Amino acid sequence: MPRRLLLLLALLAAGGAGLWAWHSLPPRLRVAMAASGPALEAVYATGAVEPIHWARVGPATRARLTDVLIEEGDRVREGQPLARLEDRQARSLALEAEARAAFAEEELIRTRALVTRDIAARATLDRAERDARAARAAAEAARQRLDDYVVRAPTGGVVLRRDAEVGEVVDTPASLFWIGEPSPLRITAEVDEEDIARIAIGQRVLLRADAFPGRILAAEVAQITPKGDTIRKAYRVRLNLPEDTPLMIGMTVEANIVLRETPDAVLVPPTAVVLPGAAARRGAATPVPPPGAPRPAVVWVVEKETARRREVELGVEGPRATEVRRRLAVGEVVILDPPTGLRDGQAIRLAP
């Protein structure tokens, strides 16, 4: 019995020593090498393709469409009739106003003759002249209102779109035709007010469109609207397109306005980056750098099988790679997913 007890104690001591030796081994961590590659900092926006020179054309009054005189793709000149509206009532009112004006003119002529022969007073002539002028003005206004029943082209160009069908009742908010030049084209995009201060005329823009999957198209910032939209909290930015762009009028696009481009930036996997969080854990607010400013962070670098803590500054942060702008060189080995208790100078083992 004592011999068995001694054997058991010996086995337990050996197991404890093995467990202590296992726990005392350096942690086994995954690593990666800092690589060189392009980094692109950009402001994201969405927009739609439109002609630089174009106009929406709608009716000047509410009425039923009786005739559409043009088709999509037709070239029209300024003032050319595009459609006609039902104008029977307006035409009757114009004829009535014209008849009243003619009658007032005849009354004026008779009154002048009577005043010349001292049969009528001068005040009667003054009243007749006023009535004649008022009737003529009313007739002229009625003729102008009659012209409102003809939809005319406000400018020359190509009919880009037609939304008018005979028999429809249309009103002033409606857009019946889009007239403009098919080229040159531009994009009207909306940029968040937080980013607008970083946008400047001449900046390069990279575009993506669902119509051309996997293809990157080019544009350039041409104009920034001075006044923003207080409801949407955004500013309108115009992007000029090259003449050979495959984009078509009305297409929606995603735009990345390039702020900074570094062809040989230092890149690491996002899991190698540790963002500052001690202040947040203590209940204090972590200061947020302004847009475009480098973001402080920590990476753990492997030096002779030991972990070294290094404070760095981040640039562009993407889902696959993060740019490190200071204190890290291409080729250095960084630790992925560093554990919370890792100490500066601690020995480590590299995971296979």
Side-chain angles (χ1 to χ4, degrees):
M1 186 70 177
R3 185 176 298 175
R4 289 182 181 179
L5 181 59
L6 289 175
L7 181 60
L8 179 60
L9 291 175
L11 290 175
L12 288 176
L19 184 63
W20 176 85
W22 182 81
H23 275 291
S24 64
L25 287 176
R28 190 184 296 274
L29 303 176
R30 294 187 306 115
V31 296
M33 186 177 294
S36 176
L40 187 73
E41 183 179 2
V43 168
Y44 177 82
T46 58
V49 181
E50 64 182 21
I52 291 180
H53 306 290
W54 68 289
R56 278 193 294 259
V57 186
T61 187
R62 187 177 189 275
R64 187 180 301 276
L65 272 169
T66 59
D67 198 7
V68 178
L69 307 174
I70 50 90
E71 296 293 338
E72 293 176 342
D74 290 351
R75 179 166 287 277
V76 297
R77 64 184 183 278
E78 183 178 351
Q80 179 178 334
L82 307 178
R84 299 186 188 278
L85 307 176
E86 174 59 59
D87 63 351
R88 284 181 295 181
Q89 183 178 3
R91 192 171 295 278
S92 298
L93 293 175
L95 290 174
E96 180 181 353
E98 191 64 39
R100 291 178 182 275
F103 177 78
E105 288 288 345
E106 293 175 359
E107 283 294 311
L108 177 59
I109 293 172
R110 286 195 295 269
T111 302
R112 282 176 179 165
L114 293 175
V115 170
T116 302
R117 291 182 291 173
D118 292 332
I119 299 176
R122 179 68 188 182
T124 304
L125 177 60
D126 294 340
R127 184 168 57 252
E129 289 176 344
R130 288 195 302 269
D131 291 345
R133 286 195 299 269
R136 179 51 52 194
E140 184 66 25
R143 280 199 302 271
Q144 291 179 357
R145 284 194 297 271
L146 188 61
D147 193 62
D148 289 343
Y149 290 81
V150 179
V151 181
R152 301 182 184 275
T155 183
V158 175
V159 180
L160 303 172
R161 178 168 171 169
R162 160 190 156 178
D163 282 337
E165 297 297 336
V166 174
E168 289 182 312
V169 176
V170 296
D171 207 345
T172 50
S175 296
L176 304 182
F177 306 97
W178 280 257
I179 294 177
E181 296 296 339
S183 64
L185 299 178
R186 69 183 180 190
I187 293 171
T188 296
E190 287 196 348
V191 175
D192 192 277
E193 66 179 9
E194 293 182 358
D195 298 317
I196 195 62
R198 309 169 69 194
I199 307 301
I201 293 175
Q203 286 175 330
R204 191 163 69 97
V205 184
L206 305 178
L207 306 173
R208 293 182 184 272
D210 291 340
F212 304 97
R215 185 172 176 183
I216 303 298
L217 304 174
E220 183 180 280
V221 176
Q223 181 186 3
I224 303 171
T225 302
K227 183 181 182 305
D229 187 326
T230 56
I231 304 300
R232 303 170 68 92
K233 294 186 177 180
Y235 282 75
R236 191 168 53 197
V237 177
R238 311 281 194 189
L239 313 176
N240 279 354
L241 291 168
E243 292 186 3
D244 60 349
T245 181
L247 295 172
M248 300 174 64
I249 298 171
M251 285 184 174
T252 56
V253 298
E254 295 180 341
N256 285 281
I257 304 173
V258 179
L259 305 177
R260 180 180 61 86
E261 188 172 6
T262 305
D264 53 355
V266 179
L267 304 177
V268 298
T271 55
V273 175
V274 180
L275 297 176
R281 287 194 298 270
R282 289 194 302 267
T286 302
V288 178
R295 188 178 184 188
V298 170
V299 296
W300 289 85
V301 181
V302 178
E303 295 181 359
K304 298 180 180 181
E305 298 185 355
T306 60
R308 291 297 182 184
R309 184 180 185 275
R310 192 175 297 179
E311 295 184 357
V312 297
E313 290 183 355
L314 305 183
V316 181
E317 300 178 49
R320 297 183 178 180
T322 298
E323 178 192 12
V324 179
R325 298 179 63 176
R326 288 184 65 246
R327 302 193 65 198
L328 188 70
V330 173
E332 291 194 273
V333 178
V334 295
I335 298 174
L336 303 180
D337 298 310
T340 304
L342 190 63
R343 302 185 309 277
D344 189 21
Q346 181 179 350
I348 63 170
R349 291 181 299 162
L350 304 184

